[in-house]
Amino acid sequence: MSYLTQLKTFVEVYRSGNITRAAARLHMSQPAVTSHIQAMENIVGKELFIRKARGVEPTAIADDLALQVASHIDTLEQKVASIRSRASTDHGTLHLAGPAEYLSLVAGPALANLLQADKVNLVIHTGNKSNIYHLLENDVAELAITASEPTDAMYEYQKLDKERLILVMNRVQGKLLGEREISAALLNQHKVVTYDEQLPLVRRYFSEVFNAACESPVAAVCPDIRAINSIIKAGIGYSVLPDYLCKEGISKGELVALGKPGPENDVYLVWKKGALRHPRVDFAKDVIMAFANINYLSTLPD
């Protein structure tokens, strides 16, 4: 007897951590999903999930079963999807999430190339890291661009791009400091403008370049690094920005680059496991990656 349907249900519950959510994604009733899980428990002879107030927690047996079968279920789903009429299923609306500044300044050509295929309509959602992954987890977005490598097993991804972090200061103070050796102690005497209270980009730069903590007084917190760029240009303090955002200001003399170039961040295209079974999502992923690899990825500075 084939247990493929029950295994598919098991994998969805395992990834969702919730019977109700899995039922919605599978377009099944909750009792049907529960019945499938009970059938699999009878087959393996062990409990697969511990019922909690807000979902289910996999047992060690469930972890082992998922490791053995999940990738095979995904492969079968993708094979079946590819056999369907691609001409009809490629079309539709794609929801993509990402940071507003990257989508605005870098990803535009790749997204335009996707739209020129005249198959996909695009809805773009912007936000920070937590918002982006929330949109993916809750099936609001089907693809996402993010500078953070996914750590949750529910996601798959490919490297899309790179960005280098650059320490920049307003041109007045920057010129005064330009002839001095840049250190954490020196910078801590000046105000910093940052993305959030945790100083994410600034903290990483200080850690990897100076092996020290940033103790600068915070002049402003702004969750859009395009606005940070403008604030620094206007004469307030310093910050750490991705190269694609500040290189024009540096070339025009509106910003001064200080110290050593910072670390590189990889930028990723991310999707939930199983999402590529939908040809529209698979098609969009391929177009974005192909355009990125051919065009702007190779033009970034070393």
Side-chain angles (χ1 to χ4, degrees):
M1 180 177 179
S2 173
Y3 302 106
L4 181 60
T5 302
Q6 288 87 345
L7 282 171
K8 178 181 175 181
T9 302
F10 159 75
V11 170
E12 193 61 57
V13 173
Y14 182 86
R15 289 172 173 168
S16 301
N18 186 286
I19 296 287
T20 302
R21 195 177 301 141
R25 290 173 179 169
L26 292 167
H27 305 289
M28 295 171 58
S29 66
Q30 284 184 246
V33 171
T34 300
S35 176
H36 284 191
I37 297 302
Q38 290 172 343
M40 290 308 305
E41 289 177 332
N42 289 334
I43 292 167
V44 301
K46 297 286 185 179
E47 187 176 28
L48 293 173
F49 298 100
I50 299 171
R51 277 62 175 176
K52 300 285 187 178
R54 294 189 176 181
V56 293
E57 180 180 312
T59 63
I61 296 295
D63 289 335
D64 185 45
L65 181 60
L67 181 64
Q68 297 297 326
V69 306
S71 62
H72 299 293
I73 294 294
D74 289 341
T75 298
L76 288 171
E77 288 285 333
Q78 291 176 31
K79 295 296 184 183
V80 171
S82 68
I83 295 172
R84 297 177 186 143
S85 175
R86 195 170 180 89
S88 61
T89 54
D90 271 354
H91 292 71
T93 299
L94 179 87
H95 290 256
L96 181 138
E101 52 273 5
Y102 186 89
L103 293 173
S104 300
L105 299 174
V106 181
L111 301 183
N113 197 54
L114 175 61
L115 294 171
Q116 286 172 1
D118 204 25
K119 291 184 177 182
V120 173
N121 299 318
L122 194 59
V123 176
I124 293 177
H125 306 265
T126 60
N128 59 20
K129 174 183 174 181
S130 60
N131 291 336
I132 290 168
Y133 280 104
H134 179 77
L135 292 167
L136 275 177
E137 181 181 353
N138 290 278
D139 299 317
V140 176
E142 296 150 306
L143 292 173
I145 295 174
T146 173
S148 60
E149 182 175 0
T151 56
D152 195 302
M154 76 169 66
Y155 299 116
E156 294 178 323
Y157 60 92
Q158 289 185 14
K159 289 184 180 180
L160 177 69
D161 203 347
K162 286 182 182 293
E163 60 183 23
R164 185 176 291 280
L165 301 183
I166 305 295
L167 174 68
V168 294
M169 182 173 267
N170 68 79
R171 59 186 177 183
V172 175
Q173 291 177 309
K175 288 179 180 178
L176 293 175
L177 296 185
E179 298 180 357
R180 302 176 62 181
E181 182 179 354
I182 304 301
S183 66
L186 179 61
L187 289 172
N188 284 336
Q189 301 173 30
H190 297 270
K191 294 180 180 180
V192 66
V193 183
T194 180
Y195 190 79
D196 64 33
E197 292 82 353
Q198 302 304 313
L199 312 180
L201 300 182
V202 177
R203 186 180 67 248
R204 183 177 176 198
Y205 184 96
F206 269 65
S207 175
E208 298 198 20
V209 174
F210 302 130
N211 193 28
C214 176
E215 298 177 356
S216 295
V218 176
V221 174
C222 182
D224 188 321
I225 58 177
R226 293 170 299 181
I228 295 175
N229 189 40
S230 297
I231 292 171
I232 301 298
K233 285 181 181 178
I236 305 298
Y238 75 93
S239 192
V240 174
L241 301 176
D243 52 1
Y244 66 80
L245 186 68
C246 61
K247 61 184 179 182
E248 182 178 355
I250 294 171
S251 67
K252 291 181 177 180
E254 298 169 335
L255 295 170
V256 175
L258 297 174
K260 299 178 181 178
E264 282 189 340
N265 274 336
D266 286 323
V267 178
Y268 303 92
L269 185 65
V270 184
W271 58 92
K272 287 179 71 172
K273 287 183 177 178
L276 299 187
R277 73 183 63 160
H278 301 291
R280 179 186 69 257
V281 182
D282 191 25
F283 169 76
K285 185 266 294 183
D286 287 345
V287 171
I288 292 172
M289 289 302 308
F291 191 85
N293 291 334
I294 293 171
N295 291 276
Y296 57 83
L297 226 178
S298 62
T299 66
L300 290 177
D302 295 331

